[in-house]
Each structure stands twice: as structure tokens, then as C-alpha cells.
Amino acid sequence: MRFLFRTICVFFICCCSESIMKKDLTVLYPEKEKPIKHQQDWQFEFYYNRIEEFKNNPIGFDKIVFLGNSITEAGGDWNKKFNVQNIVNRGISGDMTEGVLNRIGEIIYYKPIAVFLLIGINDIFNSDLPDREKITAEYVSNNILNISNRIIEGSPSTKIFIQTTLPINNEIYTKEKGWFPSHSVPLNTQINDINKLLKEKCKNTSFKIIDLHSVFTNNKGLLNQAYTTDGVHLNEHGYVAWVDFIKEKIISLH
């Protein structure tokens, strides 16, 4: 009888501890009540649906994290692409640098082996909106550096790979979607400026720059038609090119 009572007590304590642990881990994720700068309604829905998925399937320790927006999310199971078992997809469709900064708690907590970051296109894509005049190449590149610095501050052993922002092809996008947002400065010019600043700012840091942009640019400076579905997002050929370009870096982490 005493043994049974002791067993029940231990079981109860373990269950309570697990419940407390799960409750405490919710602080790693952004709350819906806290607005994210520049986030639009359609981005809000995508963002918090994915955050709920992340809560139910945390990163875990000793992982490689692919962090970014829809281009990363649409890569799906990156483990299959690299034939490994420790890559976690943390892409969110429509996400911006401010969104990543708001959800970086989970990344820091699980102290990944490495983070492959690709972010920035959504920050500048709708630059015709009234509040977007504050979003410059300097602003975006600084936010990308802030993301990287915050990860390193909380997880010093994590290796950071900053991937340059991909080009777009507005000719294909217009044909596919029938419209294209207006830009006082051409979008690819802004992208080039962001990438140039990233390369300059990372010179005296531990961050590794991966010039992914160069892989996808055609002779006009646009996103190569062979790699895209709509002038912005990648098709399967695009993901194969991406994997081929960085696979040696993934291998070196194993």
C-alpha cells in the first residue's frame, strides 16, 4: 500500500512538473496581443498559425534551423533535401525581420548548432504603403544583424549563416498575378543595396555570408525564370540549386 501511494505521488509530481515546464515554455513565443511593427492582416494570420505549430513541435536541442519567410517554409522537410535528420524549418509565409525578432526566443532557448537565415524581401515588397517609407536597405540590413547578434548573445556556440536576399522577377510576377506593387526605387535595386550592406557589416563579425542571390540572378539582374513559380517564390529547380550551393556547409556541421 505504501509503495502504491509513493508511486502515485511520484507520478503526480512528474505530471505537474511537465505541465509547469510546458506552461513556462510558452513565453518563448510571441503573444497575439503584442502587435508586430509593419505587419499586415494577411501576415498576422499566417504568422500566428505557424507559431501554434511551433508550440506543438518545438525545435529541440542540437538542431540546424532554417529561419525565414515563405521561401524557407516552402522548402518543406529540409532533412530530405540534405539526407540528414536534424534540420528544423522555421519559415513563416509573409514574415519580415520584425517578425523574426519577435519569435527569436525559441531559437535562443534551444541553442541550435547553426542558423541559416534568409529574410528581408517582405520588408520592402509593399513599399507603396504609407508606413513603408521608414523601411530602407539600412533598416533591413540592421535588423538582420540584430537577429544574428541576439542569437549569438543568447547562444554563443551557434553558427550564423546569413544568406543574401534573393532577386525578384517582376516581369514574371506581373504575368502570373496581373499586378505588381509600385516602388519609387526598383525592388531589385533595394535588394542589391541590402545585400551590399550585409556583406560590409559582416566583415568583422563571426557571421558567415552565403551569397545566395548570385545563384538565382539572370543576365538582366532578375530572378532566373528557370528557378521560380511566380517571379518571387522558388520552384523545385530553385530548391535543388539552393541545396547544391550550401550542402557542403551542412555536411561540415555533422
Side-chain angles (χ1 to χ4, degrees):
M1 189 71 172
R2 185 179 297 172
F3 174 78
L4 178 61
F5 176 75
R6 187 181 300 165
T7 303
I8 292 171
C9 287
V10 170
F11 176 77
F12 178 76
I13 291 169
C14 289
C15 288
C16 287
S17 298
E18 184 179 354
S19 175
I20 292 169
M21 185 182 296
K22 286 182 178 178
K23 183 178 180 180
D24 288 344
L25 290 181
T26 60
V27 302
L28 301 178
Y29 304 93
E31 300 174 0
K32 284 188 176 182
E33 293 75 20
K34 183 181 178 182
I36 294 174
K37 192 186 299 184
H38 305 302
Q39 191 179 65
Q40 299 175 65
D41 290 344
W42 69 271
Q43 291 169 316
F44 178 92
E45 184 176 355
F46 279 123
Y47 189 86
Y48 285 103
N49 284 344
R50 280 287 277 172
I51 292 298
E52 288 303 312
E53 292 178 25
F54 298 165
K55 288 179 182 178
N56 293 325
N57 296 282
I59 290 171
F61 294 100
D62 300 318
K63 303 295 184 181
I64 296 169
V65 176
F66 275 43
L67 181 60
N69 50 39
S70 60
I71 298 173
T72 295
E73 181 182 356
D77 187 350
W78 288 92
N79 289 302
K80 291 181 179 178
K81 298 182 188 304
F82 291 101
N83 195 28
V84 296
Q85 296 182 334
N86 65 337
I87 299 178
V88 178
N89 189 328
R90 280 300 182 261
I92 298 182
S93 182
D95 205 9
M96 303 175 293
T97 54
E98 292 288 350
V100 173
L101 283 166
N102 273 269
R103 60 185 173 100
I104 210 165
E106 184 194 31
I107 310 292
I108 293 170
Y109 178 83
Y110 286 107
K111 297 179 170 37
I113 297 167
V115 171
F116 286 77
L117 176 63
L118 177 62
I119 197 72
I121 185 62
N122 291 313
D123 290 65
I124 60 173
F125 195 74
N126 289 300
S127 57
D128 57 329
L129 296 176
D131 66 337
R132 294 303 169 95
E133 63 185 19
K134 301 173 184 176
I135 299 180
T136 62
E138 185 75 26
Y139 168 91
V140 176
S141 62
N142 281 342
N143 268 2
I144 291 171
L145 266 292
N146 287 340
I147 292 166
S148 304
N149 281 319
R150 283 184 57 185
I151 293 173
I152 288 297
E153 286 168 8
S155 180
S157 64
T158 299
K159 295 180 180 179
I160 306 292
F161 296 89
I162 298 175
Q163 300 170 109
T164 52
T165 305
L166 300 184
I168 59 96
N169 191 320
N170 53 299
E171 296 172 358
I172 297 173
Y173 192 91
T174 303
K175 188 182 295 183
E176 291 290 327
K177 302 290 186 179
W179 65 278
F180 194 77
S182 60
H183 302 96
S184 55
V185 178
L187 202 55
N188 275 318
T189 299
Q190 295 182 62
I191 290 169
N192 290 336
D193 289 343
I194 291 169
N195 292 337
K196 181 180 178 182
L197 286 167
L198 285 174
K199 292 172 184 177
E200 290 173 356
K201 293 171 187 287
C202 288
K203 282 180 180 177
N204 297 315
T205 72
S206 62
F207 311 140
K208 307 296 184 184
I209 286 285
I210 297 176
D211 191 10
L212 204 58
H213 180 276
S214 64
V215 178
F216 293 95
T217 309
N218 66 16
N219 56 11
K220 294 182 179 180
L222 306 177
L223 178 58
N224 193 319
Q225 185 171 355
Y227 294 142
T228 183
T229 57
D230 59 6
V232 175
H233 299 94
L234 301 181
N235 59 23
E236 192 56 38
H237 296 297
Y239 285 105
V240 169
W242 187 348
V243 169
D244 285 345
F245 193 63
I246 68 171
K247 64 183 176 183
E248 292 302 322
K249 291 180 173 58
I250 297 294
I251 291 170
S252 72
L253 296 168
H254 289 82

